[in-house]
Amino acid sequence: MSETYLYNRTLNKNTDYNVWFAFPECYSFAMSSLGFLLIYKELDEMENIFAERICMDTAKTKIKPQDVDAICFSFTFDMDFINIFKILDKYNIPIKSKDRKNAPFVFAGGTVLTANPEPFKDIFDFMIIGDGEGINSSAVQICRENRNRAKEEVLELLSKVGGVYVPYIHSCQNPVKKGHSDLKQCVYTPILSDKSFFKNTFIIETSRGCYNRCGFCVASYLNLPARFVEYETIIEKIEFGLKYTNKIALLGALVSAHPNFKDICAYIYNKIQSGEDIEMNISSLRADTITPDVVRMLTAAGQKNITLAIESASQRLRKVINKNISEEQLFAAIKTAKEYGLKGVKIYTMLGLPTETQEDIEEFIRLAVDLKNEFRGFDITFSFSTFVPKPHTPFQWCTRESTKSLEKKEEYLKKELHKIGMNAKFSSAKWDYYQTLVSRGDVSLTDYLIEVYRLGGKLGAYKTCAKKLGINTDKFVTEPLNMEKELPWNVIDISPGVQILKNEFNRLMNKS
């Protein structure tokens, strides 16, 4: 395994505080996570701190477990809690904070906790809410400087740092303000690895957030306002990355929304045309941003396919969810993709969106037939997930359709799309049900989630544990939430605020 550090490390520094920075997946995935690597770099550059990355497949650690002072987890996906518990168990660290009297501090940050930390408030000593730049290092420094004081005293100090949530101090009446970065400093890959899932790929974050604000999209609403890295800075980082690798990737909730996106594409294309070997990957594109120049750059850089998110084949439903993409724009984008050298397109869609009817489902069949007839020989794949109502979005109050109903829709679409000869992939409606449970849960689920882990964390464990502990999971998943009731995640003070979300919910529902 080869790693290349793209920053100056202070080796053999006189450290007196040991931190494990843990990623609840394998090493290859960890080394493809820009957020994980960004925070590790911050910790690694701190004086007096020795930070070590650990993953699910870490066989041997440099820091002995008994010498660890703090453990920080990256918590990006709802179901990561299973592997977080596994790592704690592996090193004989109690899962619940109240049982860790003499254990190291255990804290975490990431999208899951920023959206809703409440199911895990009895697990972590504290949590980083929002953009983690600067906050993680500040928190670790406070822990280090006060390591001889009682844990409760240290937590009191931590609670005064913006973006640090201390469960026994903060509440809906005393919320913690979400941490916010202005993104003036461009985030990019600090360590290249030949064992990364994206082997030796230099990733550049071009934007954070998305101004389109689809009603279901937590990535948009958690990151308002949308921010873009300056064009000159992106070009500077591309040149920096090319000193180490020919593989470049642009990352953002919506990369193609960058005001200088076409200029970035032109810059890369001209470098390729001048003889440079560059492989380029772009994480997200909108149908209305697909132009000949963009596709020409992508094909020149070796990209074979693109993903376009339309969420629904129904124009009516796209209006309801605030997805302002027309069918004409979709067809124009695919036409351009085919004409200028791409091999295929994946169309990302959802089932079970609010107000969805059978007529909306039939629109998928009609669209598939029209696409098949229009673009013969071009690889088109539908990718279906099911709607998961997420905190801090206008649709947070919506009910989730029953698993039985969603699976019936899936089977119908599988059958009909197969007849047409259209490729289609489907997420598991059962797993999406439990993702909703974790997303909208509260502290009453903590023991349930621990029990699910103890029983192996497979699908059957969720149902078995609910029956064993008397947990009504439908209460969190398929039952609508009262718009006038305090929600668990209101412990987070986040823009744009509850009233604006209510107004947007009512505006979108009126479009149905």
Side-chain angles (χ1 to χ4, degrees):
M1 178 177 69
S2 173
E3 291 185 347
T4 303
Y5 287 79
L6 309 188
Y7 60 96
N8 294 322
R9 303 180 76 203
T10 305
L11 300 176
N12 301 318
K13 55 186 179 181
N14 184 27
T15 59
D16 57 12
Y17 200 80
N18 295 320
V19 179
W20 271 346
F21 191 30
F23 193 82
E25 257 297 348
C26 62
Y27 171 87
S28 65
F29 287 178
M31 296 305 292
S32 296
S33 171
L34 188 57
F36 174 75
L37 294 177
L38 163 68
I39 302 304
Y40 170 74
K41 174 179 177 287
E42 280 195 0
L43 298 176
D44 194 37
E45 290 182 317
M46 292 176 67
E47 291 184 12
N48 306 115
I49 302 295
F50 182 73
E52 179 182 12
R53 285 169 280 136
I54 66 170
C55 313
M56 288 300 296
D57 50 359
T58 298
K60 187 177 181 180
T61 62
K62 295 177 182 176
I63 305 171
K64 294 179 181 179
Q66 64 269 27
D67 295 332
V68 174
D69 296 298
I71 304 174
C72 176
F73 285 94
S74 174
F75 200 163
T76 308
F77 302 105
D78 294 291
M79 299 331 216
D80 280 350
F81 75 89
I82 295 291
N83 285 344
I84 289 173
F85 294 172
K86 278 184 183 178
I87 290 173
L88 290 173
D89 259 355
K90 179 179 178 179
Y91 297 107
N92 298 312
I93 298 168
I95 291 176
K96 280 192 169 184
S97 58
K98 69 180 179 63
D99 300 322
R100 295 194 296 264
K101 299 299 182 186
N102 298 310
F105 274 105
V106 176
F107 69 105
T111 308
V112 173
L113 301 179
T114 297
N116 180 18
E118 293 308 275
F120 307 99
K121 67 186 296 183
D122 287 347
I123 305 299
F124 301 111
D125 297 311
F126 63 93
M127 297 175 241
I128 308 299
I129 304 298
D131 299 330
E133 293 100 314
I135 302 176
N136 281 273
S137 52
S138 294
V140 168
Q141 192 67 285
I142 288 172
C143 291
R144 174 189 165 270
E145 290 174 352
N146 297 277
R147 59 190 180 279
N148 295 321
R149 299 176 70 173
K151 186 170 279 191
E152 290 74 16
E153 293 180 47
V154 181
L155 292 173
E156 286 278 354
L157 294 171
L158 287 165
S159 71
K160 294 176 172 53
V161 178
V164 176
Y165 170 46
V166 178
Y168 84 92
I169 293 176
H170 292 107
S171 65
C172 290
Q173 291 69 46
N174 177 33
V176 59
K177 193 167 183 63
K178 172 186 170 286
H180 179 81
S181 168
D182 57 17
L183 212 63
K184 287 184 178 178
Q185 299 298 318
C186 181
V187 177
Y188 58 88
T189 298
I191 309 170
L192 292 173
S193 172
D194 59 1
K195 297 298 181 184
S196 167
F197 185 78
F198 300 111
K199 181 178 178 180
N200 287 328
T201 299
F202 185 81
I203 305 171
I204 302 168
E205 184 184 28
T206 61
S207 61
R208 193 170 296 179
C210 172
Y211 55 67
N212 291 312
R213 294 192 294 179
C214 294
F216 60 85
C217 186
V218 70
S220 174
Y221 276 90
L222 283 188
N223 289 290
L224 292 176
R227 289 145 284 164
F228 301 94
V229 178
E230 292 184 357
Y231 168 77
E232 291 78 13
T233 303
I234 293 172
I235 298 305
E236 176 188 317
K237 297 311 175 191
I238 288 173
E239 291 295 340
F240 175 74
L242 288 173
K243 294 177 182 178
Y244 300 93
T245 179
N246 72 324
K247 297 178 180 180
I248 306 292
L250 304 183
L251 177 69
L254 190 60
V255 171
S256 57
H258 195 287
N260 300 105
F261 179 64
K262 290 180 181 179
D263 297 327
I264 295 167
C265 290
Y267 183 86
I268 296 165
Y269 181 73
N270 289 335
K271 289 185 74 67
I272 294 172
Q273 290 302 106
S274 67
E276 285 204 48
D277 176 22
I278 301 175
E279 293 181 24
M280 171 64 68
N281 186 276
I282 295 178
S283 65
S284 55
L285 295 165
R286 265 178 68 99
D288 56 358
T289 62
I290 303 299
T291 65
D293 287 344
V294 170
V295 177
R296 193 179 289 118
M297 183 279 291
L298 292 174
T299 54
Q303 193 160 325
K304 300 284 193 295
N305 305 283
I306 56 172
T307 298
L308 301 174
I310 63 169
E311 320 309 344
S312 176
S314 160
Q315 184 67 42
R316 179 201 72 82
L317 194 48
R318 287 200 296 274
K319 287 181 180 178
V320 171
I321 65 175
N322 209 40
K323 189 72 177 185
N324 300 312
I325 292 291
S326 69
E327 194 162 298
E328 291 74 22
Q329 289 171 322
L330 173 65
F331 273 71
I334 297 175
K335 182 172 185 272
T336 301
K338 183 180 180 183
E339 287 182 355
Y340 287 87
L342 289 173
K343 304 300 181 185
V345 60
K346 180 187 287 186
I347 300 175
Y348 182 78
T349 58
M350 276 193 209
L351 296 177
L353 285 162
T355 79
E356 184 179 79
T357 65
Q358 184 59 33
E359 286 73 23
D360 297 318
I361 298 299
E362 296 296 338
E363 284 290 280
F364 282 117
I365 310 302
R366 181 209 43 89
L367 177 61
V369 170
D370 290 349
L371 289 171
K372 196 77 175 176
N373 291 336
E374 182 74 18
F375 302 107
R376 295 186 183 279
F378 194 61
D379 182 17
I380 299 175
T381 300
F382 277 103
S383 178
F384 292 92
S385 66
T386 62
F387 168 63
V388 173
K390 289 284 189 177
H392 303 293
T393 68
F395 288 172
Q396 67 181 356
W397 293 283
C398 293
T399 181
R400 174 179 161 82
E401 195 172 332
S402 74
T403 300
K404 185 175 181 180
S405 174
L406 288 166
E407 288 181 334
K408 186 176 179 181
K409 289 179 178 179
E410 286 182 0
E411 288 306 313
Y412 174 73
L413 285 170
K414 281 179 185 177
K415 181 180 176 182
E416 295 302 316
L417 292 174
H418 180 72
K419 288 179 186 177
I420 299 166
M422 178 67 71
N423 296 322
K425 298 178 180 179
F426 295 82
S427 70
S428 165
K430 288 186 176 71
W431 274 114
D432 291 349
Y433 174 96
Y434 290 110
Q435 182 192 145
T436 306
L437 176 66
V438 177
S439 295
R440 299 212 297 185
D442 58 27
V443 69
S444 69
L445 289 183
T446 304
D447 288 334
Y448 165 76
L449 296 177
I450 293 173
E451 189 68 16
V452 167
Y453 159 68
R454 297 291 185 208
L455 283 188
K458 303 298 183 185
L459 198 55
Y462 288 85
K463 194 170 185 177
T464 299
C465 292
K467 186 180 292 186
K468 178 180 177 182
L469 298 178
I471 301 289
N472 176 14
T473 55
D474 283 348
K475 169 187 154 187
F476 299 95
V477 181
T478 58
E479 296 179 9
L481 301 181
N482 187 332
M483 293 188 75
E484 304 310 316
K485 188 177 179 182
E486 194 80 80
L487 297 171
W489 47 88
N490 288 352
V491 71
I492 308 298
D493 178 7
I494 182 172
S495 177
V498 174
Q499 190 55 53
I500 292 178
L501 294 180
K502 286 180 180 179
N503 295 343
E504 185 67 357
F505 171 83
N506 290 325
R507 183 183 76 84
L508 295 175
M509 289 300 104
N510 286 335
K511 291 187 175 186
S512 63

